[in-house]
Coordinates of all heavy atoms in Angstrom, one line a residue:
L29 N -89.1 -191.9 308.8 CA -88.1 -192.5 309.8 C -88.4 -193.9 310.0 O -89.6 -194.3 310.1 CB -88.2 -191.7 311.1 CG -88.0 -190.2 311.1 CD1 -88.4 -189.6 312.4 CD2 -86.6 -189.9 310.7
H30 N -87.4 -194.7 310.0 CA -87.6 -196.2 310.2 C -86.4 -196.8 310.9 O -85.3 -196.3 310.8 CB -87.8 -196.8 308.8 CG -88.7 -198.0 308.9 ND1 -90.0 -198.0 308.7 CD2 -88.4 -199.3 309.1 CE1 -90.5 -199.2 308.8 NE2 -89.6 -200.1 309.1
G31 N -86.6 -197.9 311.5 CA -85.6 -198.7 312.1 C -85.2 -199.9 311.3 O -86.1 -200.6 310.8
D32 N -84.0 -200.2 311.2 CA -83.6 -201.4 310.4 C -83.8 -202.7 311.1 O -83.7 -203.8 310.5 CB -82.1 -201.2 309.9 CG -81.1 -201.4 311.0 OD1 -81.4 -201.5 312.2 OD2 -79.9 -201.3 310.6
A33 N -84.2 -202.7 312.3 CA -84.5 -203.9 313.1 C -86.1 -204.0 313.3 O -86.5 -204.8 314.2 CB -83.8 -203.9 314.4
D34 N -86.9 -203.2 312.6 CA -88.3 -203.3 312.8 C -88.9 -204.6 312.3 O -88.6 -205.1 311.2 CB -89.0 -202.2 312.0 CG -90.4 -201.9 312.3 OD1 -91.1 -202.8 312.7 OD2 -90.9 -200.8 312.1
P39 N -88.2 -203.0 307.0 CA -87.4 -201.8 306.7 C -87.4 -201.4 305.2 O -87.3 -200.2 304.9 CB -86.0 -202.2 307.2 CG -86.2 -203.2 308.2 CD -87.4 -204.0 307.8
L42 N -89.6 -198.4 303.9 CA -89.2 -197.0 303.9 C -88.7 -196.7 302.5 O -89.2 -195.7 301.9 CB -88.0 -196.8 304.9 CG -87.5 -195.4 304.8 CD1 -87.2 -194.9 306.3 CD2 -86.3 -195.2 304.0
W58 N -85.5 -189.1 304.1 CA -85.7 -190.3 304.9 C -84.4 -190.6 305.8 O -83.3 -190.1 305.5 CB -86.0 -191.6 304.1 CG -85.0 -191.9 303.0 CD1 -84.9 -191.4 301.8 CD2 -83.8 -192.7 303.2 NE1 -83.9 -191.9 301.1 CE2 -83.1 -192.8 302.0 CE3 -83.3 -193.5 304.2 CZ2 -82.0 -193.5 301.7 CZ3 -82.1 -194.2 304.0 CH2 -81.5 -194.2 302.8
H59 N -84.6 -191.4 306.8 CA -83.5 -191.8 307.7 C -83.8 -193.2 308.2 O -84.9 -193.4 308.7 CB -83.4 -190.8 308.9 CG -82.3 -191.3 309.9 ND1 -81.0 -191.1 309.6 CD2 -82.5 -191.9 311.1 CE1 -80.3 -191.6 310.7 NE2 -81.2 -192.1 311.5
M60 N -82.8 -194.1 308.1 CA -82.9 -195.4 308.7 C -82.1 -195.5 309.9 O -80.8 -195.3 309.8 CB -82.5 -196.4 307.6 CG -82.6 -197.9 308.1 SD -84.3 -198.5 308.0 CE -84.5 -198.6 306.2
S61 N -82.7 -195.8 311.1 CA -81.9 -195.9 312.3 C -81.4 -197.3 312.5 O -82.2 -198.3 312.5 CB -82.8 -195.5 313.5 OG -83.1 -194.1 313.5
R62 N -80.1 -197.4 312.7 CA -79.5 -198.7 312.9 C -79.9 -199.3 314.3 O -79.9 -198.6 315.3 CB -78.0 -198.6 312.9 CG -77.4 -198.4 311.5 CD -75.9 -198.5 311.5 NE -75.5 -197.8 310.3 CZ -74.4 -197.1 310.2 NH1 -73.6 -197.0 311.3 NH2 -74.1 -196.5 309.1
G63 N -80.3 -200.6 314.3 CA -80.7 -201.3 315.5 C -82.0 -200.9 316.1 O -82.3 -201.5 317.2
L64 N -82.8 -200.1 315.5 CA -84.1 -199.7 316.0 C -85.2 -200.6 315.5 O -85.3 -200.8 314.3 CB -84.4 -198.2 315.6 CG -85.7 -197.7 316.2 CD1 -85.7 -197.5 317.7 CD2 -86.0 -196.3 315.5
G65 N -86.0 -201.0 316.5 CA -87.2 -201.8 316.1 C -88.3 -200.9 315.8 O -88.1 -199.8 315.2
H66 N -89.5 -201.3 316.1 CA -90.8 -200.5 315.8 C -91.0 -199.5 316.8 O -91.6 -199.7 317.9 CB -92.0 -201.5 315.7 CG -93.2 -200.9 315.1 ND1 -93.2 -200.6 313.8 CD2 -94.3 -200.5 315.6 CE1 -94.4 -200.0 313.5 NE2 -95.1 -200.0 314.6
G67 N -90.4 -198.3 316.6 CA -90.5 -197.2 317.6 C -89.7 -196.0 317.1 O -89.4 -195.9 315.9
I68 N -89.4 -195.1 318.0 CA -88.6 -194.0 317.6 C -87.5 -193.8 318.7 O -87.7 -194.2 319.8 CB -89.4 -192.7 317.5 CG1 -88.7 -191.6 316.9 CG2 -90.0 -192.3 318.9 CD1 -89.5 -190.5 316.2
D69 N -86.3 -193.3 318.3 CA -85.2 -193.1 319.2 C -84.8 -191.7 319.2 O -85.4 -190.8 318.5 CB -84.0 -194.0 318.7 CG -83.5 -193.7 317.3 OD1 -84.0 -192.7 316.7 OD2 -82.6 -194.4 316.8
P70 N -83.9 -191.3 320.1 CA -83.5 -189.9 320.2 C -83.0 -189.3 318.9 O -83.3 -188.1 318.6 CB -82.3 -189.9 321.2 CG -82.6 -191.1 322.1 CD -83.2 -192.1 321.1
T71 N -82.3 -190.1 318.1 CA -81.9 -189.6 316.7 C -83.1 -189.2 315.9 O -83.2 -188.2 315.3 CB -81.0 -190.6 316.0 OG1 -79.8 -190.8 316.8 CG2 -80.6 -190.1 314.7
G72 N -84.1 -190.1 315.9 CA -85.3 -189.8 315.1 C -86.1 -188.6 315.6 O -86.5 -187.8 314.8
L75 N -84.0 -185.6 314.5 CA -84.2 -185.3 313.0 C -85.5 -184.7 312.7 O -85.6 -183.8 311.9 CB -84.0 -186.6 312.3 CG -82.5 -187.2 312.2 CD1 -82.5 -188.6 311.6 CD2 -81.7 -186.2 311.4
P95 N -81.3 -189.5 301.7 CA -81.2 -189.6 303.2 C -81.2 -188.2 303.7 O -80.7 -187.2 303.1 CB -79.8 -190.3 303.4 CG -79.4 -190.9 302.2 CD -80.1 -190.1 301.1
Y97 N -79.8 -186.0 306.6 CA -78.8 -185.9 307.6 C -78.1 -187.3 307.9 O -78.7 -188.1 308.5 CB -79.3 -185.4 309.0 CG -79.9 -184.0 308.9 CD1 -81.2 -183.8 309.3 CD2 -79.2 -182.9 308.4 CE1 -81.8 -182.6 309.2 CE2 -79.7 -181.7 308.3 CZ -81.0 -181.5 308.7 OH -81.6 -180.3 308.7
S98 N -77.0 -187.5 307.3 CA -76.3 -188.7 307.5 C -75.5 -188.8 308.8 O -75.2 -189.8 309.3 CB -75.3 -189.0 306.3 OG -74.4 -187.9 306.2
E99 N -75.2 -187.6 309.3 CA -74.5 -187.6 310.6 C -75.5 -187.6 311.8 O -76.7 -187.4 311.6 CB -73.7 -186.3 310.8 CG -74.4 -185.0 311.0 CD -75.0 -184.3 309.8 OE1 -74.9 -184.9 308.7 OE2 -75.6 -183.3 310.0
D100 N -75.1 -187.9 312.9 CA -75.9 -187.9 314.1 C -76.2 -186.5 314.5 O -75.3 -185.7 314.8 CB -75.2 -188.7 315.3 CG -76.0 -188.9 316.5 OD1 -77.1 -188.2 316.6 OD2 -75.7 -189.7 317.3
R102 N -77.5 -185.2 317.2 CA -77.5 -184.9 318.6 C -76.3 -184.1 319.0 O -75.2 -184.2 318.6 CB -77.6 -186.2 319.5 CG -79.0 -186.8 319.3 CD -79.1 -188.0 320.1 NE -78.5 -189.1 319.4 CZ -78.1 -190.2 319.8 NH1 -78.3 -190.5 321.1 NH2 -77.6 -191.2 319.1

Side-chain angles (χ1 to χ4, degrees):
L29 302 171
H30 208 95
D32 68 358
D34 192 333
L42 179 141
W58 58 270
H59 174 78
M60 182 78 70
S61 291
R62 287 187 200 146
L64 180 66
H66 192 72
I68 192 158
D69 60 4
T71 299
L75 287 172
Y97 302 123
S98 57
E99 76 277 3
D100 186 342
R102 292 179 279 163

